Amino acid sequence: MLELRMAKPQEREEICHLWRAVYADEDALMDSFFQACGLEEVMLLKEDGVLRTYIAAPRARLHLPDGQVVDTAYLYALGTDPDQRERGFGRTLLRYADFYLQERKLPCVTLVPAEPSLFRFFESVGYEYAFASRMAEVPAAQIGEAPEGSGYTCAQAEDYNRLREELLAGTFHLEYSQALVEFQRYLSRSTGGELLILQWEGGAGCAAVELQKSNPGITAQVKELLVPPGKEETAMALVAQACPADRYVVRMPVDRTWPAGGYGQPFGVIKWYNQDLRARQGEATRGYLGLAFE
C-alpha cells in the first residue's frame, strides 16, 4: 500500500539514509538543510511502511515580469531508492506535491532539473521552461587585478539576500528565503568558498562561490555572479582574490554579454496552478533563478 504525506520528526534518519543512498551527501549537509528549512517541508512516499521517495519543498517568492510578487515552493533533492526506480514513484510524489501545494493556496511551484535530459521529464508532468542562465568558463590567467579602492566582505545570509534583491529589482526572478541563502552559505563555506559582497567605488555586487578539486588544480563554481552590467571583470577580480582557483565556472543572468565565449542555457522550470497568474508571466522564459543548491 502506498502512503503519501508530509514527514514526521521521527523519520529524519530514515530520510537521511535514503538521501545518502541517492546523492552520497555528508550528514553535515543534510543537517544544515534541515536546520535551515525544517523537516516539515519534506514530502514522503512510502510503500508498505518503507520509504521509497522523498522531496523537499521549501518556500520562496516569485517576482513576475509585471512586478507582482507571489508565494511559491522550490522543489529540491527529489530522491528515489535506487533499487526502486522505474516504478513511477517520482511521478506519484510530484502529483502529491501538486495536491498539497494547491491545498495551501500556492499558485505555482519551481525547480531546477538535475541534468538537461530531465527537462523533458518535467515537461511531461506539466512543467514549462521559464528560467535561463549564462554560463562561462574563465581561466584564472585571464582575470585581471581589482581596481584600487575595491574590496570584498564575507557575507551573512541576511546581508547577501538584501543586496541580491536590490540587484534583481524589477526583474522576473526567484527570491529565496533567508533560510535557503543560509543553506547556500553552508554549501559555499564547507568547500572553502564563500558568500561574497563585492564593492567598488560607486557600486556593489554579490557572488556565491564553491570550490572543488579538479584535474588539474582547483575549480571555483561561481553559482551566481550578480553585478550591474559592465562590472563583471571588476567583480571577478575580487572573487579571485577571495577564492583563489585555477579556473572559474561562472553563472549569471542570461542577458549578460561578458565574457566572449559564454553561452545561454535553460536552467529552471515552473508549474502553474493559477492560470490567471500564469498569464502575467506571458511568454517570458528568461527569468533568473540563480543558486539552485545543486
Side-chain angles (χ1 to χ4, degrees), residues 42-207:
V42 177
M43 305 177 195
L44 308 179
L45 182 152
K46 288 191 166 186
E47 181 185 37
D48 298 328
V50 179
L51 180 62
R52 300 302 193 193
T53 303
Y54 72 91
I55 194 168
R59 300 299 189 263
R61 300 208 306 167
L62 182 67
H63 294 244
L64 290 167
D66 65 0
Q68 184 169 354
V69 182
V70 300
D71 292 329
T72 187
Y74 171 79
L75 298 185
Y76 174 67
L78 173 64
T80 296
D81 183 337
D83 294 329
Q84 301 295 326
R85 290 174 181 165
E86 308 300 332
R87 297 185 62 194
F89 289 149
R91 286 178 181 269
T92 300
L93 189 56
L94 287 169
R95 286 196 296 269
Y96 174 75
D98 291 339
F99 166 78
Y100 179 85
L101 297 172
Q102 288 181 84
E103 284 285 300
R104 276 134 192 90
K105 309 301 182 185
L106 291 186
C108 61
V109 62
T110 63
L111 61 83
V112 175
E115 54 189 63
S117 63
L118 290 175
F119 274 89
R120 287 189 177 181
F121 167 76
F122 286 108
E123 288 173 0
S124 75
V125 292
Y127 287 80
E128 56 187 291
Y129 164 46
F131 303 97
S133 63
R134 180 174 173 83
M135 300 291 297
E137 183 175 326
V138 186
Q142 293 182 12
I143 297 175
E145 296 294 324
E148 186 175 349
S150 63
Y152 66 86
T153 57
C154 299
Q156 298 296 320
E158 181 179 6
D159 298 328
Y160 186 97
N161 217 18
R162 182 184 306 113
L163 178 57
R164 184 180 191 274
E165 286 307 304
E166 289 176 7
L167 292 164
L168 290 170
T171 69
F172 176 28
H173 73 278
L174 193 69
E175 175 187 350
Y176 296 103
S177 66
Q178 184 174 323
L180 282 173
V181 177
E182 186 63 52
F183 178 53
Q184 178 58 57
R185 183 169 180 262
Y186 163 79
L187 293 175
S188 292
R189 300 190 81 182
S190 67
T191 67
E194 264 294 355
L195 288 188
L196 299 170
I197 291 179
L198 315 167
Q199 298 167 309
W200 51 84
E201 185 176 355
C206 59

Side-chain angles (χ1 to χ4, degrees), residues 1-75:
M1 184 179 79
L2 294 186
E3 181 182 8
L4 295 146
R5 57 173 172 78
M6 304 307 290
K8 299 175 182 178
Q10 61 267 31
E11 293 172 310
R12 174 169 171 162
E13 181 50 41
E14 191 177 4
I15 295 166
C16 289
H17 179 77
L18 181 52
W19 190 320
R20 290 186 208 102
V22 174
Y23 294 107
D25 286 329
E26 297 180 354
D27 288 355
L29 182 149
M30 292 178 279
D31 289 344
S32 178
F33 178 77
F34 289 132
Q35 181 178 351
C37 300
L39 195 66
E40 66 273 10
E41 295 181 328
V42 177
M43 305 177 195
L44 308 179
L45 182 152
K46 288 191 166 186
E47 181 185 37
D48 298 328
V50 179
L51 180 62
R52 300 302 193 193
T53 303
Y54 72 91
I55 194 168
R59 300 299 189 263
R61 300 208 306 167
L62 182 67
H63 294 244
L64 290 167
D66 65 0
Q68 184 169 354
V69 182
V70 300
D71 292 329
T72 187
Y74 171 79
L75 298 185

Side-chain angles (χ1 to χ4, degrees), residues 275-289:
Q275 294 307 309
D276 290 337
L277 288 173
R278 167 63 186 88
R280 290 177 178 268
Q281 179 190 326
E283 299 305 311
T285 58
R286 294 161 60 91
Y288 181 74
L289 198 146

